[in-house]
């Protein structure tokens, strides 16, 4: 049986929104990759993939994968939602970021004392964080519902425009460089 007060306490301990000292930002995406865009991995052809954020009306601000030269993204919410405007791309110094491997059960414990990168929110639910997996030879960028303690699945849009979910994934964290 779950213990909601304990889950709530664990959720409060994770610095989900404490990015006041973070040196990264979300820039408007116009189809051109900015020089300071954060690379999230590579696709099956070895091309870089980037971390995007798409506004989906009546759903929220959802992390999504950006592929160079493509102006639209597919956001993993209520299936695959095609978005061709109101898209942002994560920018900053790549060396300030790290990917932390974890799973749905241990996510909140693994992230204690780490600063996760908030990818947006789902309307009526809460924050979603940026995640990735290696799938069919390439990196897939997507979302992790941080508001579901102990059952935080990673969701992305696959090549069939479906929204699968898995329980093992990497989480993007910000780690300020020593200056």
């Amino acid at each position: 049986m779950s213990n909601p007060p304990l889950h709530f306490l664990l959720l409060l301990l994770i610095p989900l929104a404490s990015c006041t000292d973070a040196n990264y930002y979300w820039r408007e995406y116009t189809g051109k990759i900015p020089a300071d865009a954060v690379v999230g991995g590579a696709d099956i052809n070895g091309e870089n993939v980037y971390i995007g954020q798409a506004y989906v009306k009546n759903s929220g601000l959802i992390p999504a994968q950006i592929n160079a030269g493509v102006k639209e993204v597919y956001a993993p919410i209520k299936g695959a939602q095609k978005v061709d405007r109101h898209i942002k791309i994560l920018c900053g110094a790549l060396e300030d970021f790290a990917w932390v491997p974890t799973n749905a059960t241990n996510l909140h414990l693994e992230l204690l004392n780490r600063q996760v990168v908030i990818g947006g929110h789902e309307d009526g639910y809460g924050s979603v964080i940026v995640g990735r997996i290696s799938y069919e030879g390439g990196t897939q960028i997507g979302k992790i519902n941080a508001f579901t303690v102990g059952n935080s699945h990673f969701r992305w849009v696959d090549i069939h425009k479906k929204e699968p979910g898995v329980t093992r994934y990497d989480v993007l964290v910000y780690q300020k460089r020593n200056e």
Side-chain angles (χ1 to χ4, degrees), residues 30-152:
T30 60
K32 183 179 176 194
I33 304 296
D36 61 346
V38 176
V39 176
D43 67 14
I44 194 167
N45 300 315
E47 299 292 324
N48 288 338
V49 295
Y50 300 89
I51 301 157
Q53 185 184 67
Y55 173 71
V56 179
K57 187 176 181 178
N58 298 321
S59 293
L61 195 56
I62 311 299
Q65 180 165 311
I66 293 177
N67 296 305
V70 180
K71 290 186 177 183
E72 72 272 344
V73 299
Y74 286 88
I77 185 145
K78 299 176 187 168
Q81 302 297 318
K82 182 178 178 179
V83 180
D84 59 5
R85 57 191 181 140
H86 307 298
I87 302 167
K88 296 191 181 272
I89 188 167
L90 182 63
C91 296
L94 185 57
E95 61 270 14
D96 287 346
F97 297 91
W99 291 97
V100 176
T102 189
N103 61 57
T105 304
N106 296 327
L107 172 69
H108 291 82
L109 294 174
E110 295 270 349
L111 296 178
L112 289 174
N113 301 315
R114 294 182 192 250
Q115 188 172 338
V116 299
V117 175
I118 301 295
H121 69 277
E122 285 191 20
D123 292 350
Y125 293 100
S127 296
V128 291
I129 54 181
V130 176
R132 76 173 183 185
I133 60 167
S134 179
Y135 181 76
E136 294 186 348
T139 300
Q140 301 295 317
I141 304 293
K143 69 173 183 176
I144 301 163
N145 295 341
F147 49 82
T148 55
V149 177
N151 193 21
S152 303

Side-chain angles (χ1 to χ4, degrees), residues 2-9:
S2 72
N3 186 341
L6 177 60
H7 288 165
F8 182 71
L9 178 62

